[in-house]
Amino acid sequence: MTDMITPDLVRLDADLGGDKPAVIESLAGIVASAGRTTRADLLVADTMAREETSPTGLPGGIAIPHCRTAAVEVPTLAFARLSPTVEFGAKDGPADLAFLIAAPAGGDATHLKVLTQLARALVKKEFTDGLRAARTPEEVVALVNSVVSVEPAGARVAAAATVAAPAAAAPAETRGAAARRTIVAVTACPTGIAHTYMAAESLERAAAKAGVDIHVETQGSAGATPLHAATIANASAVIFACDVGVRDRSRFAGLPMVSSGVKRAIDDPDGMIADALRYAEDPGAPRVEGTAGDAAADATHGGESWGGRARRILMTGVSYMIPFVAAGGLLIALGFLFAGYEVAKDGIGSDIVANNGLFDLPDLDELGLSHALFNSPLMAYLGSLMFVLGGAAFGFLVPALSGYIAFAIADRPGLAPGFVMGAVALIVNSGFLGGIVGGVLAGIVAHWIAGWKVPKWSRGLMPVLVIPLLTTLVVGFVMIVVLGKPLNNLMKNLNDGLNSMSGGSIILLGVVLGLMMAFDMGGPLNKVAYAFATTGLATAATQTGAPTELKVMAAVMLAGMVPPLALALATVVRPGLFSPAEKENGKAAWALGASFITEGAIPFAAADPFRVIPSIMAGSALTGALAMGMGVTLRAPHGGIFVLFAVDNVLGFFIALVAGVLLAAGLVLVLKSMGTSDADIATV
C-alpha cells in the first residue's frame, strides 16, 4: 500500500495564507507537487464543498479539512504546522495544526480503517503535542505512521487497547469491590468515517479522566466489532452517541441510558460521562427499552428530543429503503429501454421470463413487442428479465421502509411485524405514508410487549415468537379493519375528482396531478395520480393521435421526475446548504429522477419537509401544466428519459421538465438560505 504521508507532504511552521480557503488551496498544491494528484483544482473544490457543510476545526488548535474525491487514487495526508494560525471554525480559537485528508472516491475497507485510526489519534493530546514538537518532516511522518500503520487485526486491537484506553489497561489492579464503574457506548454516524471514531476516542479519554472503565462499539464505515455480552452485563450504564438506529439495541435492555447525536460526544464527552454516572445511581433514570422500566423515562429517550428521535427513526427506515428504490427503478427503466414499453402490458414480461430463455427467444410479432431494441428477440428477453427483477425489487420498497422504522423503535422483534405492515400498506393502497404509519405502530406495539414482565422460562420465546405474533395480529387488525376502508374511500373520491377535470380544465388537471405526484413522493396521492394515468394508458397507448390519456401519462411522469432532479441540482448549486448524506443522495438523485423514481427525493423531504415539499410541489405543478398545455404525450407507463422513443413532442417534454426543475431547485435554495442549518447533523 502506498504511504499515506511522506516528507514531501509535510510543511513545518509554514505561512500558507491568512484564511481557510488559502490554506486548503496551499495544501492541495502540496499534494500536487508530491505527485499525488494532477487535479489540484478538483481537490480544492471537493474539500471546500465539504467544508461548507460544517467547519472542520476541532478543539485544541486542530483542523482536518477532508473529502472523498476523484482527484486522488490513493489515500493521501498533507500536513502543515501553521504560522500564523488560521481560523477553521473551532469554538476555542484558530488552528495551528492542519491535516488535508484526501480519500479516493472508491476507497476500500483498508483505506477506511487507516483513516479511522488517524481520526482517533487526532483527539489524543500526546499525538498533537508530538506534532507540535517535531523538528523535521521525517519526525511527523514517523509519528503519523505510528498511528495509521496497517497491522494485522489482532495487533491493531491490542495496540488500540493499550494507547486509547489507558484507564482500562489494568482493571484488575485498580478495580476493587465496586471501586470503578464500567460504561459501554455505541457511536455511529450515517455516512462518514471520522466522527464515529472521534466520538469513540473522545469518550474513552473522558472516561479515563473520570476514572471510569469504558468499552465503545463503533458502528462505522469500517465495520464494527460487537461488545461482548459479559461486558454489557457488567456495565453500569450505556451511552448512545448515534445519528442512526443502533444495531441490536436489545442487547442493552434495562441499562441506564444517555442518548444524543454523535456531535455531542466530540464536543462534550465529559458531560456525557457525568450523565452516565449520574444515571447509574438514579433508579428513575432513562433506561434502554426491553424491561418494564419507567415509561416516562423511556419517553425521554435519554435526553434525545422527540423531534430528533422521530427524525432518526424515519431516516433509519429511508436509508434501508433507498437501495430497493434505486435497484428496482433503474432495472424497470432499463427493461423498457431493451424490450419496449409493451413489456408492462398484460403480464407480457412475466410470461416471457417464465416461458422463454436464451435458447428459446420470444416471438416479437406474436407478443406485440414492436419497440424492442434493434428489433431483437434477445433484447426483448433481456429487457423482460430486467423488468421482472426490477418489479420484484420495487415490491420491497414500502415493506423495507416500514420494517426498518419498526426496527429503529423496537430493535429486532419489530422487524418482522414491520415488514408485514408494509405489505399490508400495499394491500390497502396506502403506499409510502401507510408504510410509515404501519412501521411506527408495529414498532410501538413491539416495544410495549417487550416491556412485559414474563416468567424466566418464557423470555427466550418473546423476541422470536410472542412479540412478532402479537404485534402482527394487533397492528394488522388496525391497518386492515380500522384504516383500510377509509383509505380506500379516500382513494376513490380522489380518483373521481381527477376524472371530472379531464375535459376543458386540462391545464388545471396538469397542475393538480403535478401537486399530487410531488406531495408524498410515492404515497397515496402519488399513487392515485399514477394509477389514474396508467388506467387510461392501457386503452389509449395503441391509438393514433394524441388522446387525453396519453397527455395525462406524460404530465404524471414529468411531474414525478422533477423532485429528485431539482434536489440533485440544488446540491450542486449550493452544496453548503446540505448535509454530507444529502449531497451523496443528490448524486444518486440525478439517475433516479431521470428514471422517473420520485422516491429519490424522500431523504431530502424527510430531513426538511417544510422547505422541500412546497418547493417540489410548485415545480411539479408547473411541469404538469406545461406538459398538458403543449400537448406532450407518452405511451409508456414508466422509464423517464429511457422511454423517449414513446414520447410525442420531445421538445415540449424537455421544456416542461427543465422549467419545473429550475423552479423547484430555486425555491429550495431560497427557503434554505432563509433558515439555519442543522448544527446536529453528523458530518464526514
Side-chain angles (χ1 to χ4, degrees):
M1 176 177 174
T2 303
D3 289 339
M4 297 181 68
I5 187 168
T6 56
D8 55 353
L9 290 166
V10 176
R11 298 293 185 272
L12 298 180
D13 304 318
D15 183 354
L16 298 187
D19 56 18
K20 178 167 60 177
V23 171
I24 290 174
E25 185 173 352
S26 296
L27 288 170
I30 293 170
V31 173
S33 65
R36 296 297 186 96
T37 183
T38 58
R39 303 185 65 188
D41 55 340
L42 177 61
L43 178 55
V44 171
D46 289 343
T47 305
M48 289 303 300
R50 162 61 189 86
E51 198 72 24
E52 288 178 9
T53 65
S54 64
T56 54
L58 300 176
I62 304 165
I64 54 166
H66 58 277
C67 65
R68 293 177 184 264
T69 178
V72 299
E73 296 182 356
V74 296
T76 298
L77 305 178
F79 169 76
R81 194 164 65 202
L82 301 175
S83 179
T85 58
V86 176
E87 182 62 56
F88 268 80
K91 295 179 180 179
D92 61 347
D96 65 322
L97 303 179
F99 273 101
L100 174 61
I101 308 173
D108 62 20
T110 300
H111 300 153
L112 295 177
K113 290 177 180 178
V114 169
L115 291 174
T116 60
Q117 292 170 26
L118 176 65
R120 295 179 70 101
L122 286 171
V123 296
K124 299 177 185 177
K125 188 174 184 299
E126 58 269 28
F127 179 69
T128 54
D129 285 349
L131 293 174
R132 290 187 172 98
R135 293 170 296 180
T136 65
E138 287 75 14
E139 289 183 25
V140 172
V141 171
L143 184 60
V144 172
N145 284 337
S146 71
V147 299
V148 301
S149 57
V150 180
E151 301 173 4
R156 184 167 56 248
V157 170
T162 301
V163 176
E173 297 85 0
T174 58
R175 190 190 306 137
R180 291 175 69 95
R181 287 196 176 275
T182 297
I183 297 173
V184 291
V186 178
T187 62
C189 54
T191 59
I193 304 165
H195 285 73
T196 295
Y197 299 92
M198 296 176 80
E201 188 66 33
S202 294
L203 289 172
E204 287 170 352
R205 299 186 72 78
K209 186 164 57 175
V212 178
D213 293 333
I214 190 168
H215 304 272
V216 184
E217 178 179 315
T218 51
Q219 296 183 355
S221 298
T225 301
L227 292 168
H228 194 278
T231 302
I232 298 173
N234 291 329
S236 301
V238 61
I239 293 173
F240 293 142
C242 302
D243 293 300
V244 295
V246 178
R247 293 197 290 271
D248 292 332
R249 184 188 181 96
S250 60
R251 296 172 293 159
F252 305 94
L255 281 177
M257 169 181 57
V258 178
S259 181
S260 78
V262 71
K263 189 174 180 61
R264 187 190 172 199
I266 298 173
D267 292 343
D268 184 27
D270 296 325
M272 296 196 78
I273 295 295
D275 287 348
L277 293 174
R278 177 165 53 86
Y279 285 175
E281 301 290 344
D282 182 1
R287 293 178 181 270
V288 180
E289 59 276 2
T291 67
D294 183 6
D298 276 350
T300 65
H301 205 68
E304 185 180 18
S305 69
W306 276 106
R309 188 180 186 189
R311 181 180 183 277
R312 175 180 55 80
I313 289 169
L314 181 60
M315 291 308 295
T316 298
V318 170
S319 67
Y320 282 103
M321 177 195 74
I322 289 299
F324 292 96
V325 178
L330 290 173
L331 282 169
I332 289 173
L334 289 172
F336 286 133
L337 177 63
F338 277 65
Y341 59 85
E342 297 93 348
V343 74
K345 292 183 180 179
D346 303 321
I348 289 177
S350 298
D351 289 343
I352 290 174
V353 171
N355 301 318
N356 298 100
L358 288 174
F359 303 104
D360 180 22
L361 296 173
D363 187 319
L364 301 186
D365 293 332
E366 180 182 345
L367 296 172
L369 297 177
S370 57
H371 291 93
L373 191 63
F374 307 130
N375 201 33
S376 166
L378 176 60
M379 295 295 104
Y381 176 74
L382 294 176
S384 299
L385 183 62
M386 287 185 275
F387 175 79
V388 170
L389 288 173
F394 230 51
F396 285 98
L397 189 157
V398 175
L401 172 68
S402 181
Y404 283 102
I405 285 176
F407 170 77
I409 298 172
D411 204 71
R412 192 175 297 172
L415 194 58
F419 264 86
V420 174
M421 292 313 108
V424 169
L426 296 177
I427 294 173
V428 300
N429 196 29
S430 58
F432 169 56
L433 294 180
I436 293 177
V437 172
V440 170
L441 290 176
I444 290 173
V445 172
H447 176 270
W448 171 61
I449 296 174
W452 291 358
K453 289 183 177 180
V454 296
K456 289 184 178 180
W457 61 266
S458 65
R459 290 178 184 172
L461 294 175
M462 291 293 289
V464 297
L465 176 62
V466 178
I467 298 174
L469 175 62
L470 293 182
T471 302
T472 301
L473 283 172
V474 171
V475 182
F477 179 87
V478 172
M479 288 290 292
I480 295 175
V481 177
V482 179
L483 300 178
K485 191 170 182 179
L487 285 172
N488 281 332
N489 289 336
L490 176 61
M491 295 293 181
K492 184 177 183 301
N493 291 335
L494 288 172
N495 212 29
D496 290 344
L498 289 174
N499 277 311
S500 68
M501 297 176 63
S502 60
S505 305
I506 194 165
I507 294 180
L508 179 59
L509 176 59
V511 171
V512 172
L513 290 171
L515 293 172
M516 293 175 69
M517 289 300 293
F519 174 70
D520 55 5
M521 296 154 286
L525 291 178
N526 176 286
K527 294 307 182 192
V528 167
Y530 184 69
F532 175 72
T534 54
T535 300
L537 180 68
T539 56
T542 57
Q543 298 177 18
T544 57
T548 300
E549 292 85 354
L550 299 186
K551 296 178 182 178
V552 169
M553 188 70 251
V556 164
M557 183 179 291
L558 282 165
M561 294 167 68
V562 166
L565 288 175
L567 290 161
L569 177 62
T571 61
V572 172
V573 175
R574 289 288 303 279
L577 296 176
F578 298 89
S579 71
E582 287 175 323
K583 286 190 289 186
E584 286 299 313
N585 287 326
K587 296 175 183 177
W590 287 112
L592 296 174
S595 304
F596 180 40
I597 303 173
T598 315
E599 289 84 352
I602 289 175
F604 300 91
D608 192 2
F610 297 109
R611 286 182 283 195
V612 169
I613 293 177
S615 301
I616 60 177
M617 287 177 66
S620 292
L622 175 61
T623 291
L626 289 175
M628 285 290 199
M630 292 186 290
V632 181
T633 64
L634 177 64
R635 299 174 184 271
H638 210 292
I641 62 171
F642 294 101
V643 292
L644 285 177
F645 53 81
V647 174
D648 288 330
N649 190 1
V650 173
L651 178 61
F653 180 98
F654 281 107
I655 290 174
L657 179 62
V658 170
V661 167
L662 291 177
L663 175 61
L667 288 174
V668 166
L669 294 177
V670 169
L671 292 177
K672 280 186 171 287
S673 298
M674 295 169 62
T676 56
S677 61
D678 184 355
D680 291 329
I681 291 176
T683 54
V684 180

